Amino acid sequence: MSPHVKHLRPLTIATLITFVAGLSLTFFYAPIELNEGFVQKIFYIHVPLAIVSLCGYVLGGIFGLMYLRTGKRVWDMRSYCAIHMALIFSIGGIVAGSIWAKAAWGHWWVWSEPTLVSYLIVILLFCTYQPLRFSIEDPERQATYAAVFAVVGGAFVPLNFIVVRLSVQYLHPRVFNLEGGNLPGSMALTFYVMLLAVALLFATLMKYEMLAKETRGQTRRLRRRLLGDENVAPIGRSAAPL
Amino acid sequence: MRVAWAILRKDLTVELRTLETVPAMAIFTVATFVIFHFGLQRDSLSGQLAAGVFAVSLLFAAVLGTNRLFVAEREQGGFDGFLLAPVDRTAMFLAKSAALFLYLTVLEIIAVPAFGLFAAPPGYGGALGGLIVFLLLVNLAFAILGTLVSAIAVHTRARDLIGPIIGLPLQIPALISFAIGTGKLLAVHTVGPGEVLPVHGAHHPAGEWLLVLALYDVFTALLAYAVFDFLLEE
């Protein structure tokens, strides 16, 4: 196994167990919310997805910073995988959020909810990460520019949240409160288990992605050695590192 | 500092001789005002609507200027020359953002009267002082982020596309504070049917948005300063 991807098997098992536990708690243990009913249970997947994906973007920024400092390609790979996974998670998060908003407030989209709006802006920004990488051919430069983008984006995430929250406070009275500051114990427990499960899922999937990319590189090197350089098709242009 | 000044002077000389960027931005802005007039079908805009139209037009003009910012360096070997010279690379960032800032300021000297003419917001003259302060701060944000994004985009194959799609989300916090702040400056009281009076005096909270905008300027400046060097490596 690759030196950069360790503990994949125990991590996978832990993810599986936590996820099953979290879902069981969600459906069989957490009480049904009085106002919103059964559909409120989407909260236990939506909010963890959102939190984990935002942390994933920031993590991508930190990995990008490490790449800029050290110049080691593995940091570029980590940064790429973190942002890639965070993007997938946040698409899931925003779809789940939209469903919840429709069920709870009667609208698919609510502009007066700052968390939702700033989340959308962050997604719009990070959607450009792949096109940016794809349009730079030189791998060295691709990695550097992507790292700069990741650092800027990672720093942008919290700031954007502050500004959007301020703007909503001024324009609209605050109606909703997403933060479960006063969740009853059973709901809080379920929520934290699900948060842990989604975080573990993020880590596991990210590691699998890294492993897949490294294995692909390794297979290529072996094919080159066996078949000779001219018999292996050159790598097409790609947004992914390697 | 001397290096930055030299690059800035070079850019301004080129711009004065070719008139490539600023006139295009100005024409674009005025055309956008006219387009908004037809899209909205209003003879006069006020309050948040006026501020929004103005802010969005300026942002798009800034994107236009941003796209052109590094093209000459890229196409005529300016980057190579700069990298060969034993100078601090931050000078390039300073010079380019100063150039973009000046372009935007010149653009606004045309755009502010044009907006008064075409959108005729009530109380525009009285709000002008506050508007200028907002404009200077928002120019700073547009210039800093524009330079950063432009330096990223100029080495990509699809730079005219990559620049705006990265730039627009990053500019949103600046746009929010500018639009809300100026919206409050241009706010009106409805006195009677069809009769409005501008709100003036100390009680509009535009000042808080000035602060948010200024903080965003500082934040983006620090961030851009920290990462810009990496964008100039060969």
Side-chain angles (χ1 to χ4, degrees):
Chain A
M1 194 180 280
S2 151
H4 302 307
V5 186
K6 291 178 195 139
H7 315 302
L8 197 49
R9 193 188 306 258
L11 192 64
T12 312
I13 295 169
T15 308
L16 201 66
I17 293 171
T18 327
F19 222 93
V20 171
L23 286 180
S24 319
L25 285 174
T26 304
F27 287 108
F28 303 116
Y29 173 68
I32 295 220
E33 218 252 356
L34 274 181
N35 292 323
E36 295 169 24
F38 184 73
V39 76
Q40 183 266 344
K41 288 194 187 294
I42 204 170
F43 160 88
Y44 298 112
I45 188 78
H46 158 67
V47 179
L49 274 178
I51 292 175
V52 169
S53 61
L54 289 175
C55 293
Y57 291 131
V58 176
L59 203 64
I62 294 169
F63 290 156
L65 191 65
M66 293 303 292
Y67 175 73
L68 291 179
R69 290 176 66 100
T70 62
K72 290 198 178 119
R73 293 303 295 270
V74 63
W75 288 112
D76 178 46
M77 169 86 88
R78 287 193 180 124
S79 176
Y80 172 84
C81 293
I83 291 175
H84 187 201
M85 274 304 143
L87 201 55
I88 295 171
F89 274 50
S90 50
I91 301 290
I94 208 157
V95 170
S98 194
I99 294 170
W100 188 28
K102 176 69 182 169
W105 307 321
H107 299 284
W108 292 107
W109 187 256
V110 187
W111 280 112
S112 57
E113 177 49 59
T115 322
L116 211 57
V117 176
S118 27
Y119 197 50
L120 178 72
I121 299 172
V122 168
I123 293 177
L124 279 179
L125 178 65
F126 277 95
C127 277
T128 62
Y129 181 72
Q130 307 258 356
L132 170 68
R133 291 195 76 116
F134 193 69
S135 67
I136 304 174
E137 269 164 275
D138 175 34
E140 199 79 17
R141 169 165 277 164
Q142 186 190 65
T144 309
Y145 279 41
V148 168
F149 176 91
V151 171
V152 173
F156 175 78
V157 168
L159 196 85
N160 172 53
F161 266 74
I162 296 169
V163 175
V164 173
R165 183 160 289 261
L166 279 176
S167 79
V168 172
Q169 271 172 3
Y170 278 93
L171 284 183
H172 313 271
R174 191 103 165 80
V175 191
F176 312 112
N177 188 9
L178 262 186
E179 279 65 343
N182 43 3
L183 280 180
S186 56
M187 284 175 137
L189 175 72
T190 313
F191 171 70
Y192 287 123
V193 173
M194 276 309 285
L195 184 61
L196 182 68
V198 173
L200 281 173
L201 182 70
F202 182 89
T204 314
L205 288 180
M206 196 183 130
K207 276 178 182 287
Y208 269 115
E209 193 186 1
M210 281 180 63
L211 183 66
K213 292 219 184 323
E214 286 184 2
T215 313
R216 201 175 59 189
Q218 237 164 13
T219 321
R220 235 189 113 66
R221 276 193 291 279
L222 287 174
R223 277 170 65 90
R224 270 220 175 118
R225 196 184 297 168
L226 280 172
L227 302 172
D229 279 347
E230 61 276 11
N231 292 324
V232 180
I235 301 184
R237 207 148 58 90
S238 160
L242 210 84
Chain B
M1 215 51 191
R2 219 164 43 86
V3 184
W5 174 239
I7 301 173
L8 177 61
R9 222 175 40 200
K10 185 258 321 172
D11 273 354
L12 294 182
T13 312
V14 171
E15 179 58 30
L16 273 178
R17 290 197 187 151
T18 59
L19 291 176
E20 254 184 344
T21 309
V22 178
M25 286 161 77
I27 295 167
F28 179 82
T29 314
V30 174
T32 316
F33 292 155
V34 175
I35 300 251
F36 266 120
H37 165 76
F38 289 118
L40 297 170
Q41 287 296 327
R42 302 249 191 122
D43 293 343
S44 156
L45 304 175
S46 65
Q48 196 55 57
L49 191 60
V53 168
F54 192 54
V56 170
S57 309
L58 278 187
L59 176 58
F60 287 163
V63 168
L64 215 60
T66 302
N67 274 344
R68 308 275 326 150
L69 200 58
F70 281 102
V71 170
E73 262 72 21
R74 160 95 195 204
E75 282 173 0
Q76 290 157 22
F79 276 128
D80 301 330
F82 181 76
L83 287 173
L84 284 175
V87 292
D88 186 9
R89 294 181 184 170
T90 316
M92 177 71 99
F93 171 68
L94 275 178
K96 286 295 179 181
S97 39
L100 192 52
F101 183 87
L102 289 176
Y103 293 172
L104 285 165
T105 311
V106 174
L107 160 76
E108 280 146 11
I109 293 174
I110 300 161
V112 169
F115 189 67
L117 183 68
F118 291 129
Y124 193 52
L128 219 51
L131 188 64
I132 288 170
V133 181
F134 265 105
L135 281 172
L136 289 176
L137 284 178
V138 85
N139 283 356
L140 206 56
F142 286 174
I144 293 165
L145 283 170
T147 308
L148 181 65
V149 167
S150 181
I152 293 178
V154 76
H155 287 292
T156 63
R157 282 156 36 103
R159 61 166 177 257
D160 297 344
L161 296 174
I162 296 289
I165 60 171
I166 298 178
L168 288 180
L170 286 175
Q171 303 278 23
I172 286 179
L175 183 82
I176 290 175
S177 11
F178 178 70
I180 300 181
T182 47
K184 295 199 184 298
L185 286 176
L186 296 173
V188 289
H189 281 312
T190 308
V191 186
E195 201 181 345
V196 287
L197 273 182
V199 182
H200 281 311
H203 56 272
H204 53 66
E208 284 147 8
W209 286 101
L210 217 52
L211 191 67
V212 175
L213 193 53
L215 285 176
Y216 194 64
D217 284 345
V218 173
F219 166 82
T220 48
L222 290 176
L223 193 63
Y225 174 75
V227 297
F228 193 77
D229 278 12
F230 295 106
L231 298 176
L232 290 182
E233 268 167 16
E234 265 320 296

